[in-house]
Amino acid sequence: MTSHDVPITGPVKNAPSQSGTSIAERRKRQYFDMSENDLLTPVPPFPKKVMLELSNGCNHACLFCANPHMQRQVGRMEPDLALRLIAEAYEAGAEEIGFYTTGEPFVHRELARFTAEASRLGYRYIFMNTNGALATPERAKPVLDAGVHSIKFSINAGSRETYRSVHGKDDFNAVMANLESISRYRSEKSLALWLAVSMVVTRPVAHEVDELRARVMPFVDEFITFECGSQVSQMSAAEQLLAVGKEDPRHQAVCSQPFTVLYLTQEGYLNLCCIDYHNYLAVADARMRPLKDVWLAPEFQDIRSRHLNGTLAGTLCGACWQGCRETSKPLRPEFATVIDKKAFDDHVEALIRRRLPDL
């Protein structure tokens, strides 16, 4: 099971006021308030929200994340494909766009260009999540000037020492400097930017939550904490070793994601989930057909039907949402990188124990 990044604490609102929407509230509505039952159908209307995996690469190696262990080939979305998908999604009815899923958005050198194009088209909410190490003033200012509405820094420790252990990089001071630089720049330019910091609470950093909150709140609008989850069952070893406490987030019978959000991988595949690192939930190739058609592809209709009738065993969705113990298999093997799950879990556990020998 996974927490789906469900916040376990709400936003703190004592930072400089900026126009925007609380990320915690947006996530709460996304995962818990599926009151619009007309969306729960194998053929839902085109979603209002689209997320592009500009790259599945990341410059950090966080202990709780599957990215550093990923066996799928690392790449970047081709600029022409990204621009086409951004335009097609908007024309089809999307209103919000996020430039990240499994990787770090600043890995892609064209991030500012994509942000500017989304802004020009008229997306009302453009957002991204970053570890912040690459969000230097030189890289960040063009993105801010291009019209991004929300940036969330993922800072998962409150001190340089624990940050190095959790993130695998000694970037704590650099990230803090980049955060403060963006905060100053938005004030100087009077930018309508919602700036937030999130922290995944793991055992090594549980005592540093208040320390990090106090450190960042003078510069941001919101500080939120997330539980350490299994990332759709892909990081079971990390959850067992690092989780502080778990709450079951599945307060509804059906996961909203396949019905309400369009996820596109860096290869151009339509995926059911934002944290599928090996494309086990990829269902169609958006390079070959218009997005409107891909959204209603027979393969996607089939897995939505399985969500509705609860027959998800043997899929990552089943492992996450229903706690199924069957080995997960890709929905479309030709899109996926098939892994040995036991060997993967053993590798993850060994790495965590090496980096945190006191566990």
Side-chain angles (χ1 to χ4, degrees):
M1 296 186 297
T2 176
S3 70
H4 276 304
D5 285 345
V6 177
I8 56 176
T9 62
V12 179
K13 292 290 190 67
N14 61 357
S17 177
Q18 298 289 331
S19 62
T21 304
S22 160
I23 293 171
E25 287 303 313
R26 287 176 57 83
R27 287 176 177 269
K28 182 179 179 181
R29 290 197 300 270
Q30 178 177 339
Y31 290 109
F32 295 131
D33 295 344
M34 279 291 292
S35 57
E36 299 181 66
N37 291 326
D38 59 320
L39 298 178
L40 297 181
T41 167
V43 287
F46 197 85
K48 301 297 184 183
K49 177 178 175 181
V50 59
M51 295 183 68
L52 268 62
E53 180 189 63
L54 296 181
S55 175
N56 61 324
C58 186
N59 55 314
H60 279 196
C62 293
L63 286 175
F64 53 81
C65 183
N67 184 283
H69 315 287
M70 181 174 52
Q71 297 171 29
R72 171 179 157 221
Q73 183 175 349
V74 173
R76 296 174 176 84
M77 185 175 285
E78 291 294 329
D80 288 347
L81 175 62
L83 293 171
R84 193 207 100 196
L85 296 175
I86 292 167
E88 275 195 23
Y90 183 76
E91 292 166 2
E95 300 176 356
E96 304 181 359
I97 188 165
F99 289 125
Y100 72 98
T101 56
T102 69
E104 165 59 46
F106 279 90
V107 163
H108 206 302
R109 288 285 177 176
E110 301 285 350
L111 178 59
R113 180 185 178 191
F114 302 146
T115 304
E117 179 62 10
S119 181
R120 184 191 70 80
L121 287 169
Y123 279 92
R124 64 179 179 86
Y125 188 67
I126 305 167
F127 61 102
M128 60 191 65
N129 179 59
T130 175
N131 60 49
L134 299 178
T136 61
E138 295 75 19
R139 295 288 308 281
K141 287 180 181 179
V143 174
L144 300 175
D145 292 339
V148 65
H149 298 108
S150 174
I151 298 179
K152 180 171 70 65
F153 274 58
S154 180
I155 304 174
N156 303 296
S159 67
R160 181 180 177 184
E161 180 180 358
T162 53
Y163 185 97
R164 184 168 55 242
S165 296
V166 171
H167 280 253
K169 291 291 182 70
D170 188 13
D171 286 340
F172 183 76
N173 292 338
V175 168
M176 289 298 175
N178 291 342
L179 177 66
E180 293 176 20
S181 173
I182 289 177
S183 181
R184 287 193 301 270
Y185 190 72
R186 73 165 179 176
S187 296
E188 293 168 5
K189 297 291 186 177
S190 299
L191 299 175
L193 170 71
W194 188 263
L195 193 55
V197 165
S198 67
M199 181 185 194
V200 175
V201 180
T202 55
R203 289 174 58 191
V205 304
H207 63 290
E208 295 183 342
V209 175
D210 291 339
E211 180 180 352
L212 182 62
R213 179 188 288 113
R215 175 76 180 269
V216 303
M217 278 312 301
F219 307 102
V220 302
D221 302 295
E222 181 178 15
F223 175 84
I224 48 181
T225 55
F226 298 149
E227 296 171 342
C228 174
S230 71
Q231 293 194 324
V232 226
S233 82
Q234 297 164 113
M235 289 294 282
S236 305
E239 182 181 45
Q240 292 169 7
L241 291 170
L242 300 174
V244 176
K246 290 289 296 174
E247 295 181 4
D248 187 350
R250 299 170 299 168
H251 294 177
Q252 59 184 29
V254 179
C255 175
S256 65
Q257 300 311 285
F259 304 88
T260 62
V261 188
L262 183 74
Y263 295 114
L264 292 160
T265 73
Q266 61 91 6
E267 300 94 342
Y269 303 147
L270 180 61
N271 199 299
L272 272 71
C273 185
C274 62
I275 48 175
D276 172 16
Y277 290 88
H278 292 104
N279 284 341
Y280 272 43
L281 298 176
V283 291
D285 192 339
R287 296 171 301 179
M288 310 304 293
R289 289 180 281 174
L291 279 183
K292 275 188 174 181
D293 295 343
V294 174
W295 177 250
L296 298 178
E299 300 88 349
F300 209 172
Q301 292 187 43
D302 176 69
I303 190 62
R304 289 194 193 103
S305 295
R306 293 178 66 180
H307 270 267
L308 293 172
N309 60 34
T311 56
L312 293 169
T315 69
L316 280 183
C317 292
C320 167
W321 208 249
Q322 297 179 326
C324 298
R325 295 184 178 276
E326 291 87 346
T327 300
S328 298
K329 296 180 180 179
L331 298 179
R332 296 284 299 273
E334 66 270 30
F335 296 154
T337 300
V338 180
I339 65 170
D340 181 327
K341 182 62 164 60
K342 184 181 185 306
F344 186 89
D345 288 344
D346 290 345
H347 168 74
V348 170
E349 180 176 354
L351 183 142
I352 293 173
R353 291 190 182 281
R354 283 199 304 271
R355 206 185 293 178
L356 298 174
D358 294 334
L359 276 180

